[in-house]
Amino acid sequence: MNDRSSPTFVLIPGAGGSATYWYRLVEELRQRGRDAIAVGLPAADDSAGLAEYADAVVTAIGDRNRIVLVAQSMGGFTAPLVCERAPVELVVLLNAMVPAPGESPGQWWENTGQPAAAAAYAASEGRPSGGAFDPLVEFFHDVPDEVRTVVFAEPQPEQSGTPFEKPWPLEKWPDVPTRFLQGRDDRFFPLEFQRRLVRERLGIAVDEMPGGHLLALSRPRELADRLEGYLS
């Protein structure tokens, strides 16, 4: 039986929707006696948009009644929709996209200036920019080799374009306590870019920790420490 006196961490992945992304963090949290659920999203389904992503998260929550939503990257568009339908006590945005009312995920990139911010950060590190996207460079640069092997042994997730097309339907961010945790070495969503965006759109400060875009894979212990800290 679920211990209803203890919060459940419900982990929402980013683009691709793979629950495998969270496997190291789930193990770390469960070793600490926490209930942790990694949600798989129907990302390859062309009929599924943000509403269906929220459906998948709500289904995974079931009858649990103390929820901490942890939303990675594109999961920032889904987590607020879940808050409308489930007993969420806290949202933790993790290297996440923060939507504005009426903005689609497809519009978010140019609206926020992400391409220019990522290019400027690449230049500051002496890396080329403007070429084809390379996940090993952008996402996995600080993920241990043995973890990369596990992740790439799985069928690589596909991401339909459907959820990028429709506007985010909420008029404002839900009235739920929200924290934002950012990897200071994220090459995809650079720290200074996120500080500006989160301040403008949520009016809160960004907490930071070492690591790139995939903190749950690269630094699960430190990430679990941070999540435990938010509970107190």
Side-chain angles (χ1 to χ4, degrees):
M1 294 181 63
N2 178 53
D3 180 3
R4 293 180 179 271
S5 66
S6 179
T8 296
F9 289 97
V10 176
L11 312 174
I12 305 174
S18 175
T20 301
Y21 166 69
W22 298 108
Y23 85 96
R24 299 188 79 198
L25 180 63
V26 168
E27 180 180 352
E28 185 69 37
L29 289 170
R30 288 178 176 171
Q31 286 177 352
R32 301 173 186 219
R34 297 295 186 183
D35 189 13
I37 301 171
V39 182
L41 301 179
D45 184 351
D46 286 333
S47 69
L50 294 176
E52 287 73 25
Y53 289 11
D55 289 343
V57 179
V58 171
T59 297
I61 290 171
D63 65 352
R64 294 172 176 83
N65 61 2
R66 297 190 63 196
I67 304 303
V68 176
L69 285 183
V70 184
Q72 157 76 12
S73 197
M74 186 183 168
F77 272 82
T78 299
L81 307 183
V82 177
C83 292
E84 302 281 294
R85 301 170 53 190
V88 178
E89 294 188 355
L90 176 68
V91 174
V92 180
L93 298 173
L94 185 65
N95 292 36
M97 299 167 71
V98 179
E103 178 182 71
S104 71
Q107 294 169 328
W108 180 92
W109 308 91
E110 291 298 332
N111 286 356
T112 62
Q114 183 275 341
Y121 187 65
S124 74
E125 291 193 323
R127 293 183 287 110
S129 62
F133 175 77
D134 185 345
L136 291 176
V137 173
E138 301 288 343
F139 286 170
F140 286 89
H141 58 96
D142 66 330
V143 175
D145 290 343
E146 64 273 17
V147 178
R148 292 185 196 179
T149 299
V150 171
V151 173
F152 284 103
E154 297 284 326
Q156 293 309 293
E158 299 179 11
Q159 176 60 62
S160 167
T162 299
F164 292 91
E165 298 169 357
K166 293 184 179 180
W168 191 64
L170 301 186
E171 295 181 357
K172 62 178 182 178
W173 194 261
D175 187 20
V176 175
T178 301
R179 304 296 294 266
F180 197 103
L181 181 59
Q182 177 71 23
R184 67 172 67 103
D185 309 305
D186 190 342
R187 295 175 171 178
F188 199 53
F189 299 157
L191 177 59
E192 292 304 321
F193 163 79
Q194 291 285 56
R195 282 176 172 161
R196 171 184 60 81
L197 187 64
V198 172
R199 180 176 64 251
E200 292 173 353
R201 295 193 168 189
L202 295 179
I204 62 176
V206 167
D207 300 327
E208 62 181 86
M209 62 174 282
H213 194 65
L214 304 181
L215 293 173
L217 290 175
S218 63
R219 296 177 179 268
R221 182 173 300 175
E222 294 95 327
L223 178 54
D225 288 342
R226 293 300 189 105
L227 296 177
E228 291 274 3
Y230 288 149
L231 294 183
S232 61

